[in-house]
Amino acid sequence: MSALTLSAPASLRGIVHVPGDKSISHRAVLFNAVANGDARITNFLAGADCLATIRCMQALGVDVHRNETDVFVRGVGLRGLREPGDVLDCGNSGTTLRLLTGLLAGMPLFAVLTGDASLRSRPQRRIVTPLRELGVTIDGRLDGDRAPLMVRGGALQGGTYALPVASAQVKSALLLAALGGTGPLTLTGKIASRDHTERMLQAMGLDLNVADDELVLHPPTHPVFPYPLSLRVPGDPSSAAFWWVAAAIHPDAELLTPGVCLNPTRTGALEVLQAMGAEVTITNERIEGSEPVGDVLVQSSHLRGTTISGALIPRLIDEIPVLAVAAACAEGDTVIRDAGELRAKESDRIATVVAGLQALGVTVEPTDDGMGIVGLGRPALQGATLATHGDHRLAMAWAVASLVAEGDVSVDNPACADVSYPAFWETLASLG
Ligand code: S3P
């Protein structure tokens, strides 16, 4: 898809069924692949990232079939993966690379994992160092800090590791490595991040103890574990956040996103929008499978600037590009701190978000671990030509900015949204 030029619609109203959650879709395939039995996953996110996970599991000898958003997985058990005949291509997906490396670290296999240029530029020492400490033979470029990574897995002896970064990918990689181990793994330190892995492993019958300050996983002692887990994947709050911000900043808007995952480790963006004064109504709260879910309605709002920092950051890390667009339209300043992790995402999201907002006529200053944004006090961004840097969340954040821009906004490489939201542009066109 070539560059797309967008102009602001007079109103923005409708119901948007956002696609299935990316984190849960990946995990549903990965974990069920090593379960003992068959599982059916519905509302699976058929975006490029999760399709890479399916292809990797097929390359490891697992029978995985997909029909649109329905996925069938015939689990091979914890000892059933086949050594892959070639390099495993994780595409743009950090979750595939890190979680799969962890899973394979506990298996008696040799594997090489790589991905696209963006993924190959992202830091991997965060998983390589603890896996080495747990006795795994693992290496990669820059002494293991960059993919391609090669792993020669084996039974881990267990141990204790204090997580230095709040990363669900690192936490999950280590828990998966321990599944094939001979002793318990204890994780301490920064364990507060999205907890879908913990919820799903527990639902699959694994002995995982979750406390505020530590996680303890005992590898299964009986081959019946893990049980397969059929589930419906709830809507992705990181995708819904584009519509929440769109509705909040547009002067004539009302958007309903039904069935969105409201797991408290994922609701940071919604809470920040509420603190900024957004008109948010949550209804029909329920539990689906292992996850809280609800319907979220957002209406045109007058937003105020805010501070986004500390423990909130891991709960909204992927939503920062679009929250920055909300902040640009708000009254007063917004400060984003403690978010140095943004520099290690699909693009350096501090540099790329700041450059895009500046092009939209916003006064914004980057810092080492965030940015300061001077709100315009009204939704009146300037038309601009914006770069996505191949980063799906930037492409969609810039599309949201275009909804309130006074001139046309042109976005290069809109197709990169496919990574997490294949129907995004179609939905946008249907609303505008
Ligand atoms: C994810 C964890 C987060 C998030 C990513 C998905 C996951 O990354 O940014 O989009 O599914 O575990 P980190 O673990 O690097 O924070």
Side-chain angles (χ1 to χ4, degrees):
M1 206 197 281
S2 51
L4 204 61
T5 302
L6 304 157
S7 44
S11 71
L12 198 62
R13 289 173 184 276
I15 301 177
V16 182
H17 292 272
V18 297
D21 186 75
K22 181 158 79 72
S23 295
I24 297 174
S25 295
H26 281 297
R27 286 161 172 77
V29 168
L30 279 168
F31 302 0
N32 275 308
V34 292
N36 291 286
D38 297 349
R40 182 160 172 242
I41 305 156
T42 57
N43 201 38
F44 178 82
L45 168 60
D49 267 20
C50 299
L51 297 182
T53 292
I54 290 188
R55 277 195 302 276
C56 288
M57 298 325 288
Q58 288 168 333
L60 287 156
V62 185
D63 184 2
V64 186
H65 291 302
R66 182 177 67 87
N67 182 5
E68 307 278 334
T69 58
D70 273 11
V71 174
F72 165 85
V73 185
R74 172 149 291 169
V76 295
L78 273 176
R79 302 276 162 242
L81 292 180
R82 185 180 73 200
E83 191 166 72
D86 204 346
V87 171
L88 298 168
D89 184 359
C90 305
N92 188 244
S93 174
T95 308
T96 310
L97 178 73
R98 295 190 178 129
L99 269 61
L100 186 53
T101 300
L103 181 68
L104 296 177
M107 314 276 164
L109 300 173
F110 173 79
V112 179
L113 300 94
T114 192
D116 68 8
S118 153
L119 186 56
R120 281 182 279 113
S121 73
R122 296 175 63 185
Q124 305 305 338
R125 197 163 282 143
R126 52 186 59 203
I127 57 167
V128 168
T129 299
L131 288 172
R132 280 179 178 160
E133 280 178 25
L134 293 168
V136 178
T137 302
I138 179 166
D139 215 336
R141 290 186 302 131
L142 297 186
D143 188 25
D145 197 34
R146 296 285 189 280
L149 296 180
M150 73 98 206
V151 56
R152 185 173 288 286
L156 269 72
Q157 281 169 8
T160 298
Y161 186 73
L163 292 175
V165 274
S167 161
Q169 292 178 353
V170 177
K171 174 174 67 175
S172 304
L174 299 179
L175 291 173
L176 292 175
L179 276 185
T182 54
L185 174 72
T186 302
L187 296 179
T188 60
K190 297 193 175 174
I191 57 170
S193 56
R194 66 190 69 195
D195 64 358
H196 310 299
T197 294
E198 293 92 308
R199 288 171 185 255
M200 285 173 78
L201 291 182
Q202 285 177 329
M204 296 172 98
L206 291 163
D207 182 354
L208 172 62
N209 193 51
V210 179
D212 282 347
D213 54 351
E214 68 171 26
L215 301 174
V216 185
L217 180 93
H218 290 265
T221 49
H222 194 283
V224 75
F225 299 111
Y227 299 136
L229 181 68
S230 290
L231 69 148
R232 176 182 162 80
V233 180
D236 194 328
S238 301
S239 296
F242 296 107
W243 306 117
W244 299 338
V245 171
I249 62 176
H250 194 285
D252 181 14
E254 179 174 294
L255 294 177
L256 174 70
T257 54
V260 177
C261 180
L262 295 179
N263 176 320
T265 63
R266 299 290 299 282
T267 48
L270 204 51
E271 287 166 30
V272 163
L273 285 171
Q274 285 172 311
M276 292 175 82
E279 306 287 338
V280 175
T281 313
I282 302 174
T283 51
N284 209 3
E285 286 188 70
R286 56 205 186 264
I287 299 289
E288 279 185 10
S290 317
E291 297 282 348
V293 170
D295 303 345
V296 181
L297 176 82
V298 182
Q299 293 164 298
S300 305
S301 314
H302 183 77
L303 299 180
R304 299 178 295 272
T306 189
T307 297
I308 307 175
S309 63
L312 254 178
I313 297 294
R315 300 178 55 228
L316 48 64
I317 188 76
D318 291 341
E319 291 79 86
I320 288 178
V322 78
L323 287 174
V325 172
C329 300
E331 181 102 51
D333 298 352
T334 291
V335 176
I336 301 174
R337 274 198 299 266
D338 309 319
E341 275 295 296
L342 288 173
R343 296 203 183 272
K345 295 297 176 188
E346 287 84 331
S347 67
D348 171 348
R349 287 186 183 155
I350 293 179
T352 54
V353 167
V354 166
L357 289 184
Q358 285 171 342
L360 288 159
V362 181
T363 302
V364 47
E365 280 299 320
T367 61
D368 282 353
D369 66 350
M371 63 193 78
I373 301 168
V374 180
L376 294 166
R378 64 207 160 92
L381 300 166
Q382 217 168 262
T385 296
L386 299 174
T388 61
H389 304 273
D391 182 336
H392 55 132
R393 302 222 190 266
L394 282 193
M396 294 184 275
W398 300 151
V400 170
S402 80
L403 299 172
V404 294
E406 289 179 336
D408 285 352
V409 169
S410 159
V411 180
D412 75 338
N413 190 9
C416 67
D418 197 43
V419 155
S420 62
Y421 201 154
F424 180 79
W425 300 109
E426 208 179 297
T427 303
L428 182 70
S430 74
L431 292 172

